Structures are given as structure tokens and as C-alpha cells.
Amino acid sequence: MASFNATIDLMQLKGARLLSGIDQQHPGRNFICIPVDWSEIKVTENRQQPGSYRANMRVNLWPTSDKFRQACIDRRAQRGEDTADYNPPSHTIELGYSQEFLEKAKAAAKARLMKEHPEWGSDENANRDLKNAIYEAVRVRLGTAYANKPKEQSSYTGTAPAAQGFGSYQAPQEQQDPFGGGYNNDDDLPF
């Protein structure tokens, strides 16, 4: 199974703000405050820890196109950066609204866009600009994910010198640890 690493920009969520002065004990501490209803964050009480909460937000990972990945490599090369070990983004991360919430968000975006661009008309099926603007208004891009590429393990391929001074197999001898613990001490295991 593939593994990924990702970066999510929480400030891309609708209405997200950077605030300080919320914690009286630490007035200089910064907080990212996100409106729960605008980002469809579901807040529930944590059953494992009564009195604490869970705040779940759905996200979607969409695979990037080969054209986009190649464009990332090309941009890097144009800046004169090394592209040999560069791993371009494999997925984009977007906020995943429920269908019900998405329909409400599209209706609100359409109403706002109609006020801003009355010349577009109200039929989004006839006006491609309106349809695209509605889509872009409700789409929240949070970041990118990268498929982790396993690094190849180099193995010694040369010829080792021949062992000298050894005869046939000899059974190992009991030895004591120079630090006094003994080799057969199960209490000394590192895990």
C-alpha cells in the first residue's frame, strides 16, 4: 500500500483567522480559528475521553494529472534546481463537503455571483463562466500530497577479502558483557 506525506494549509478554510489573546494564561499564543459551519466540521463528544471533543472534517485526495506533474518538474528545471530526486505532487487535497451542504454552498455562491455579474444571466447551464465561477467558489483547495518513494538500499557489490585463520565451525562460547549485564539478560532488551 502506498504511503503519502502532505501539507494542509488551514488558512484556506472559509473564514479561518489567526487570533491571539484567547488564552488568559498565554495571551501571546496564536490560534487558528475556523468557523465550524462554513467548513462542515462535525464536532462530537469524544466517547473515550468524556469532557473532550472530536472535530472531524472530510477531505478528498484527488490524483494529479501527468501533465501537472510534468509542469512541476519543468518549472523546477527552469529555476535551475535539481530535478533528479524531485518528487512532484501526486494528489491535491480538497475539503470534502456532503452533497446536501454542497448544494447549499452552490446556491449561496450563485446568489453572490449574480449580484457581482448581472450580465451573466441566471442560467448556469447556458453560461459556462457562471458555472465555472460557482464551482471555483465552493472548491476549497487545502494542499498537496506526495507519494513516498522508497529509497533504494545500496548493497556492497565488491569482493570481500578471504577469511584467514579460521578452520571449521566452532560452537559459540558464553561471554560476559564487558559492562556487567550479561548477554542473555532479557531485562536488558531495548523495547
Side-chain angles (χ1 to χ4, degrees):
M1 180 178 276
S3 62
F4 300 89
N5 66 65
T7 303
I8 294 178
D9 182 2
L10 295 176
M11 294 304 290
Q12 293 302 310
L13 293 167
K14 301 286 184 188
R17 297 189 326 186
L18 178 64
L19 300 173
S20 62
I22 295 173
D23 187 351
Q24 292 177 352
Q25 294 178 347
H26 306 284
R29 180 176 284 162
N30 293 324
F31 291 84
I32 303 295
C33 296
I34 302 167
V36 170
D37 56 344
W38 289 358
S39 299
E40 200 177 18
I41 297 172
K42 185 178 179 182
V43 179
T44 57
E45 188 168 1
N46 188 347
R47 289 184 232 158
Q48 283 80 26
Q49 296 177 339
S52 66
Y53 298 92
R54 295 177 55 92
N56 293 322
M57 178 180 68
R58 293 173 25 165
V59 295
N60 294 321
L61 272 71
W62 302 109
T64 57
S65 67
D66 290 335
K67 185 177 178 180
F68 175 78
R69 285 192 292 276
Q70 188 59 48
C72 290
I73 293 169
D74 293 345
R75 264 194 313 266
R76 192 172 177 98
Q78 287 172 354
R79 291 190 305 253
E81 298 177 22
D82 183 26
T83 60
D85 291 330
Y86 176 62
N87 183 17
S90 61
H91 292 76
T92 58
I93 304 170
E94 295 181 9
L95 185 58
Y97 292 125
S98 67
Q99 193 63 35
E100 179 183 322
F101 189 88
L102 188 59
E103 294 305 319
K104 290 178 185 176
K106 283 182 177 179
K110 182 176 181 179
R112 178 182 58 82
L113 289 166
M114 294 307 305
K115 288 178 187 174
E116 293 173 7
H117 301 281
E119 71 277 5
W120 280 354
S122 63
D123 187 10
E124 59 190 87
N125 293 325
N127 189 331
R128 186 178 192 133
D129 290 335
L130 176 61
K131 186 175 186 172
N132 290 341
I134 292 170
Y135 175 75
E136 286 299 318
V138 298
R139 187 176 185 190
V140 180
R141 294 180 183 95
L142 298 174
T144 52
Y146 300 82
N148 289 329
K149 290 183 177 178
K151 297 191 181 207
E152 292 185 26
Q153 298 290 330
S154 61
S155 181
Y156 180 71
T157 58
T159 304
Q164 295 181 3
F166 292 98
S168 61
Y169 171 78
Q170 296 176 357
Q173 299 175 2
E174 280 292 317
Q175 294 181 355
Q176 284 296 320
D177 185 351
F179 302 108
Y183 286 118
N184 295 326
N185 187 352
D186 287 345
D187 294 337
D188 195 26
L189 293 176
F191 41 89

